[in-house]
Amino acid sequence: MLGKSKRLLVLPLYAFLVALLPAVSWATEWPLNMTEGVTSVSREIHGLHMQIFWWCVVIGVVVFGVMFYTMFVHRKSRGAKPAHFHENVTLELIWTIIPVIILVIMAVPATKTLVHIYDTDDADLDILITGYQWKWKYEYLDSQGENVSFFSLLTTPTSQITNAEPKSEHYLLEVDEPMYIPIGKKVRFLVTAADVIHSWWVPALGVKRDAIPGYIHEAWTKVEVPGVYRGQCTELCGKDHGFMPVVVHAVEQAEYDAWLEGKREKARAIAEAVKQTLTFQQLYEQGEAVYNKNCASCHLADGKGVAGVFPAIAGSKIATGPVADHINRVVKGGVGMPPFGEQLSPVDVAAVVTFQRNAFGNNMGDQIQPIDVVNFKQGQ
Amino acid sequence: MAHGPAHGLSRWLYTTNHKDIGSMYLWFSFAMFFLGGIFALIIRAELFEPGLQIVEPNFFNQMTTMHGLVMVFGAVMPAFVGLANWMVPMMIGAPDMALPRMNNLSFWILPFAFALLASTLFMQGGAPNFGWTFYAPLSTTYAPPSVTFFIFAVHIMGASSIMGAINIIATILNMRAPGMTLMKMPLFVWTWLITAYLLIAVMPVLAGVVTMMLMDIHFGTSFFNAAGGGDPVLFQHIFWFFGHPEVYIMILPAFGVVSAIIPTFARKPLFGYSSMVYATASIAILSFMVWAHHMFTVGMPFIGEWVFMIATMAIAVPTGVKVFNWVTTMYKGSMTFETPMLFSIAFVILFTIGGFSGLMLAIAPADFQYHDTYFVVAHFHYVLVPGAIFSITAAVYYWLPKWCGRMYDETLGKTHFWLAFIGLNLTFFPMHFSGLAGMPRRIPDYNPLFANWNMMSSIGSFLFGAAQVLFLYIVIRAIVSGRKATDRVWEGSHGLEWTVPSPAPYHTFTTPPKVD
């Protein structure tokens, strides 16, 4: 049995715990704080964050406390007579030295965490992350040379964005092809960009690295808990900056291996498909799908573009001109348009070029086969 | 008998009078404050709910860019130059600014710069859409054609600022009344002297970086283009070498304003005058050594990251000294709470909160989670709105009776204060939470997880906007039909500006006063 005084102490604790129950659902609608995350780095950062926060609270209570006290007591309406002091060397020294001490106390753990974050050595796995307007490319580097690479695009339908349909739980935080990583392994990210600066951020991992053209920066993570972790691009990168999320699936090693092997098989299948000849109908239909996924965000679903920024496909000089120029523009980009030669397979390029030359009122009647694209790329 | 001003438009076009030019700067800034405010309200209206309702993402980016540019270069900086024009000569006992014709020029090029900038909204491809920090290559290779007009506008703004700064330095160093030694100058004069040096040091850097952009865009250079051997990170180093001192350009004169107002209404001299001067100078010097704390995630080497973290944390020391000095000035005073005092006290409290989040952001590892989220937006709005905007507002209420000879309505002034205070906190405090929960800045749409805080921010922003319309009404009403002000205006006021009649005559101190 607890003594009476101890029970009195425990009671508020129970009350506090009970009060927390509704707060759990409250927290999902009114999120207040940084998450602790699932890596040692994210937890250290969270700890630092809370430590500095409480220092600020303490300083705030003291400073604002004195301020409110003086505002209440030393007012003319209460008959306060002004004092005339205006200097005090001791006091001024004290309030210079104490903050310095507090800052040193803060700087020590911050430096330790910084050292930890910068230790990118001895990784088990390397993933090259490339930012594009407005998608991420993930390439799993393989010592055998059989790299796996794919693009990761937003899947939230336009109908949800324009409020025609209700928004799903992971609205704007869902992609077609998430990154998979094995748990318990040190994964090194090599981060770069192909066009403008992006920034790859997953809060739960405590990783944020700017993706900068011309640089390959390193970051790392070691996830302890399996799960799906979501983040977003955090550097303004143009029109669809708000629409290029990051999704990471952290899974057991076996599941990861199976997933990687599946990706490799798919890559081999695509290599085979390049050799096939497709019908116009096949090309057109696949091209329409490729267009809607990759081109429509700028050139719009009706091919009319945006005057002065994104040229129309309908009646465009390129889409109604020589085939070679058209393939060239799609593969290499130009005039502000990013190159698509890497992210689209030859089949997709052939399909989308065929589609653009025969849709939106364009009527060229020609069809481009995957092998034409392969030949174009080799002829460069 | 001194001659008065000319009449009609030519008075304003050709004037070399520091009071006329000060008024024009202040009205211009007020107009820009409303323009930038409209841009902000468009942003907040779009963010009221998840989903795209009002504007397209590209236009949204134009709004965030134009809001930042107009507020920084159009509202805050000209307002402080306007205050300096009005008050510096009167505070040091000078008849006018040292270089009156240049003064006219530095004001009159500003409306053209902003007309040019605003006109980009109507150009093909739209206004600049790359954020007020205009990071390359988004602002060069990938920019809309209007970027060239933006560059020209920035050049003009920079020229205006540099001329204004030269004028202020020349005035303060050469035209002080006999006996007005440097260490007797009011703190507003001191903070502006230091600010003017900052301006002269960094505005050419800004001009340099936009010129390099111009070269990249039109003349085939590759300063910031990785494909041509250039370096996008170089842009950020140059920009923030300007940008960080720029932050202090917008806050140091605010320190001066508050250091004038708090002693007046506490009826007690400013505590630690000389430590205030030294703290201001230290902050100014440190401001040149911390720029890369805006770039903690660009992948600097460890030692760079660490040095910039430590230097940034060090700024907390002189800033703390200032806050402690203001609080101690109030301590054992005999306080009244007229509108300028309310805005000044709110300045001290809310600026300190902005300082706290600044300290958190200085911790490089933690910044990996804060960087480019709404936490940062909350932070810099807490230093800029209660910092720069509240101090400018306080200054207007404080000196308006001296300028126009009439009092504002105290009840309306206090109403304005409370509306603005509540609106501001409702707008910006929730941004701490949405940022910590993971909402990136500069996005037109967001996951419903952030919906509640955003709705609260949007409601607060409209309240804050409405409060500023009331402010305009209060100022106009005071000028037109306010009660006559006395020469001293405030019971506790000290300083040369209160020794001249209210309204201040067109020419003051044509014979210098004697300062003991």
Side-chain angles (χ1 to χ4, degrees), chain A residues 57-283:
Chain A
V57 170
V58 169
I59 300 167
V61 166
V62 172
V63 174
F64 299 148
V66 174
M67 224 174 142
F68 280 103
Y69 167 81
T70 193
M71 279 196 287
F72 184 72
V73 175
H74 304 132
R75 38 172 77 213
K76 198 184 174 200
S77 56
R78 288 170 60 104
K81 293 273 174 288
H84 290 285
F85 64 89
H86 56 86
E87 249 161 5
N88 185 326
V89 178
T90 322
L91 195 60
E92 290 175 68
L93 272 179
I94 288 173
W95 70 39
T96 310
I97 291 165
I98 289 181
V100 171
I101 294 169
I102 295 175
L103 290 174
V104 172
I105 295 173
M106 287 182 188
V108 172
T111 305
K112 276 187 196 154
T113 306
L114 200 59
V115 170
H116 192 192
I117 290 174
Y118 267 75
D119 176 20
T120 53
D121 292 343
D122 302 323
D124 300 308
L125 170 67
D126 283 316
I127 303 176
L128 177 66
I129 299 173
T130 312
Y132 288 77
Q133 281 183 324
W134 293 280
K135 58 210 140 207
W136 295 100
K137 179 189 174 192
Y138 301 131
E139 183 162 7
Y140 288 65
L141 305 182
D142 178 50
S143 54
Q144 311 298 317
E146 200 177 4
N147 290 357
V148 163
S149 91
F150 55 91
F151 280 80
S152 182
L153 275 78
L154 177 76
T155 48
T156 303
T158 315
S159 54
Q160 288 190 18
I161 296 172
T162 55
N163 309 304
E165 275 182 51
K167 297 181 183 5
S168 55
E169 187 192 352
H170 300 302
Y171 177 73
L172 299 185
L173 300 175
E174 51 201 354
V175 295
D176 54 352
E177 301 240 38
M179 169 190 281
Y180 274 74
I181 55 172
I183 56 163
K185 290 283 162 65
K186 185 166 182 176
V187 181
R188 179 164 46 201
F189 302 119
L190 307 166
V191 188
T192 187
D195 34 51
V196 300
I197 301 175
H198 305 266
S199 188
W200 195 84
W201 182 35
V202 182
L205 308 191
V207 174
K208 184 183 285 153
R209 262 287 178 242
D210 288 1
I212 303 171
Y215 281 87
I216 296 179
H217 286 309
E218 296 182 359
W220 67 276
T221 193
K222 191 177 194 174
V223 179
E224 292 147 7
V225 191
V228 180
Y229 305 110
R230 296 167 199 275
Q232 285 179 269
C233 175
T234 45
E235 182 61 64
L236 178 63
C237 56
K239 182 171 79 71
D240 284 347
H241 162 56
F243 304 90
M244 51 180 292
V246 175
V247 179
V248 175
H249 284 238
V251 295
E252 302 284 348
Q253 182 72 40
E255 193 183 342
Y256 168 77
D257 290 339
W259 169 83
L260 195 65
E261 191 44 40
K263 279 279 167 201
R264 288 201 169 120
E265 267 167 32
K266 210 172 152 195
R268 288 179 206 123
I270 287 174
E272 279 303 306
V274 167
K275 294 170 192 155
Q276 294 172 5
T277 303
L278 301 172
T279 65
F280 179 81
Q281 194 60 27
Q282 282 173 322
L283 285 166

Side-chain angles (χ1 to χ4, degrees), chain A residues 315-327 353 357 362 364 366 368:
Chain A
S316 119
K317 265 188 214 156
I318 288 173
T320 59
V323 172
D325 291 350
H326 194 171
I327 297 176
V353 170
R357 299 176 77 78
N362 297 346
M364 300 303 290
D366 43 10
I368 291 85

Side-chain angles (χ1 to χ4, degrees), chain B residues 90-93 177 180 494-500 509 513-515:
Chain B
M90 292 196 341
M91 284 176 156
I92 62 173
M180 176 66 81
H494 288 281
L496 287 176
E497 76 262 40
W498 309 107
T499 62
V500 300
F509 298 126
K514 187 91 184 80
V515 182

